[in-house]
Amino acid sequence: MAQDAEQDSQKTVGTQHSTAGAYVTGEEFTRDTNYIEDRVVADVGAAAAAPREEGSTIGDPRLAGLTEGADAWPVEPGRYRLVAARACPWAHRSIIVRRLLGLEDVISLAAPGPVHDVRSWTFDLTEDGRDPVLGTERLQENYFARFPDYPRGITVPALVDVPSGGVVTNNYPQLTFDLSTQWRAHHRAGAPDLIPDEQIEEMLPVIKRIFTEVNNGVYRCGFAGSQRAYEEAYDRLFTALDWLEDGLADRRYLMGETITEADVRLFTTLVRFDAVYHGHFKGNRNKLTEMPNLWAYARDLFQTPGFGDTVDFDQIKRHYYVVHEDVNPTQIVPKGPELASWLTAHGREALGGSPFGAGTAPGPVAPEERPPGANPLYGQG
């Protein structure tokens, strides 16, 4: 009963802060890719002096400088707090990379709850409803601390400067690349190389197609405002998933024998597919569990330390089904699907390779960062 009351109290239908009209805004869904493009870098002077860089919807690990109007901030352990909701796939990738690289003691983590209204994500999972480090109730406050009346969406992940309380960047495509390149001096011993130099040229087009056709493709289906736009988005999505299904038939990971940034970016969509994208976003040609190579690949990653141990299926479902009033006005959250199959044998070892190559797996998730909701790795759900 308490859980029912909590869920009812967070419903926004009919209130002044309803999200109705915030997601389905036209015939075709177009993602706003204008972000705060400041960077935290190892050498502020060098980044500021380098030639201006062009922005990118997927980021680029080779960037030496800044985009027009952006500022450089110094790498400084303990200075920044990563605000990353476990429900959000874009934020989830930063949680995974932070964990794989062993940056937990260097960049602290704030995890907002999964349900929010049209204003912003809230720190409602804490006892007093405030982030214990930032002292704020809403991430919106941290955006306004830097940019009063910030005009765009209050998105996660956001890297916040703890001393000022202001957001440094919400440019999530570049953020994870920078965690690998700019924070290298603070990586754990045995941290994997997620962006091997010799694979960058091959990897970036793969990441680009995954972003446009899969990561964002599910949203084009879910937030389509017409039958035509939906069907075109649906066809594009499954064309890309078929391409991935074929490509993973004879290689264990997207780029070969070890995990890379490309795998992180695909995983956060795959792990949400049957729980939300198949039904809620109408990506229902088939389930992930009905695509043998992709399903085995997703289970392989889920069972790899740093991936599945960061997943919270309860928060994922509550976010999509409660927040997206345009798609699910009743805000009823489905009970399924079952989760135990995520731990079944995947057989991908037969393809060779190992997830961390010459590196090692990260240690156990710290108790205070363990996802509180459904996850079969923790015997929940």
Side-chain angles (χ1 to χ4, degrees):
M1 294 294 292
Q3 184 178 14
D4 291 343
E6 177 192 3
Q7 291 181 358
D8 286 342
S9 71
Q10 293 180 331
K11 288 187 175 181
T12 56
V13 169
T15 74
Q16 64 176 322
H17 301 303
S18 167
T19 66
Y23 293 100
V24 180
T25 58
E27 185 176 10
E28 296 181 357
F29 170 69
T30 302
R31 182 170 299 280
D32 182 355
T33 56
N34 292 293
Y35 303 109
I36 302 167
E37 295 191 0
D38 287 12
R39 297 177 65 197
V40 178
V41 295
D43 188 331
V44 169
R52 295 295 94 175
E53 303 277 7
E54 294 295 325
S56 170
T57 57
I58 63 168
D60 192 325
R62 302 165 298 186
L63 292 188
L66 306 167
T67 57
E68 192 65 39
D71 292 325
W73 298 64
V75 164
E76 187 178 320
R79 177 171 176 174
Y80 305 101
R81 190 156 174 82
L82 177 65
V83 181
R86 301 183 191 282
C88 170
W90 317 103
H92 189 188
R93 66 168 67 164
S94 66
I95 295 174
I96 293 173
V97 170
R98 171 180 172 270
R99 173 153 160 66
L100 291 173
L101 299 178
L103 293 171
E104 294 99 321
D105 294 333
V106 179
I107 303 171
S108 63
L109 177 67
V115 176
H116 62 78
D117 58 27
V118 75
R119 290 170 293 178
S120 88
W121 300 85
T122 60
F123 299 109
D124 56 309
L125 299 182
T126 60
E127 188 172 343
D128 64 353
R130 291 182 177 273
D131 181 75
V133 174
L134 301 174
T136 49
E137 293 181 344
R138 291 183 171 276
L139 179 57
Q140 185 182 58
E141 298 172 55
N142 302 106
Y143 274 77
F144 289 172
R146 175 101 189 274
F147 303 101
D149 300 320
Y150 181 74
R152 298 186 180 279
I154 306 299
T155 61
V156 289
L159 198 64
V160 177
D161 175 47
V162 174
S164 67
V167 170
V168 173
T169 183
N170 63 349
N171 186 11
Y172 68 89
Q174 188 62 35
L175 174 61
T176 49
F177 281 144
D178 284 348
L179 292 180
S180 280
T181 59
Q182 304 302 314
W183 291 82
R184 195 182 303 274
H186 303 284
H187 291 181
R188 65 178 176 87
D193 184 357
L194 298 176
I195 44 174
D197 289 341
E198 68 276 12
Q199 293 184 333
I200 289 176
E201 292 292 339
E202 180 188 0
M203 181 170 61
L204 289 179
V206 173
I207 284 177
K208 178 74 171 180
R209 187 170 182 183
I210 288 171
F211 168 68
T212 59
E213 306 304 302
V214 181
N215 300 148
N216 199 45
V218 292
Y219 284 86
R220 275 201 307 272
C221 288
F223 294 156
S226 74
Q227 189 70 32
R228 180 201 61 79
Y230 160 70
E231 291 186 7
E232 289 182 1
Y234 174 102
D235 290 341
R236 285 179 61 179
L237 170 64
F238 282 99
T239 294
L241 289 176
D242 288 340
W243 163 68
L244 290 164
E245 174 75 4
D246 291 342
L248 288 166
D250 57 3
R251 56 168 53 187
R252 186 167 178 184
Y253 304 107
L254 287 173
M255 305 311 302
E257 296 190 344
T258 62
I259 58 171
T260 63
E261 172 95 15
D263 298 295
V264 175
R265 296 190 181 202
L266 178 57
F267 174 77
T268 58
T269 296
L270 295 183
V271 80
R272 288 162 173 75
F273 198 87
D274 287 3
V276 291
Y277 301 143
H278 179 270
H280 182 61
F281 276 179
K282 306 179 185 70
N284 64 349
R285 190 194 74 179
N286 51 259
K287 298 177 182 177
L288 175 65
T289 56
E290 295 165 346
M291 303 188 79
N293 296 329
L294 272 170
W295 173 225
Y297 164 81
R299 298 201 313 279
D300 189 1
L301 290 177
F302 188 88
Q303 295 168 33
T304 298
F307 286 84
D309 53 23
T310 65
V311 174
D312 190 315
F313 285 103
D314 284 339
Q315 292 196 32
I316 288 169
K317 290 193 298 183
R318 290 200 61 213
H319 169 69
Y320 284 88
Y321 286 99
V322 174
V323 172
H324 298 158
E325 292 180 43
D326 290 337
V327 181
N328 186 40
T330 66
Q331 298 181 294
I332 294 171
V333 180
K335 291 184 68 174
E338 64 81 30
L339 302 177
S341 57
W342 279 100
L343 302 186
T344 58
H346 52 74
R348 299 284 290 179
E349 304 93 337
L351 295 174
S354 62
F356 302 103
T360 60
V365 177
E368 65 273 15
E369 292 196 1
R370 177 171 153 172
N375 184 318
L377 286 169
Y378 301 116
Q380 297 170 234

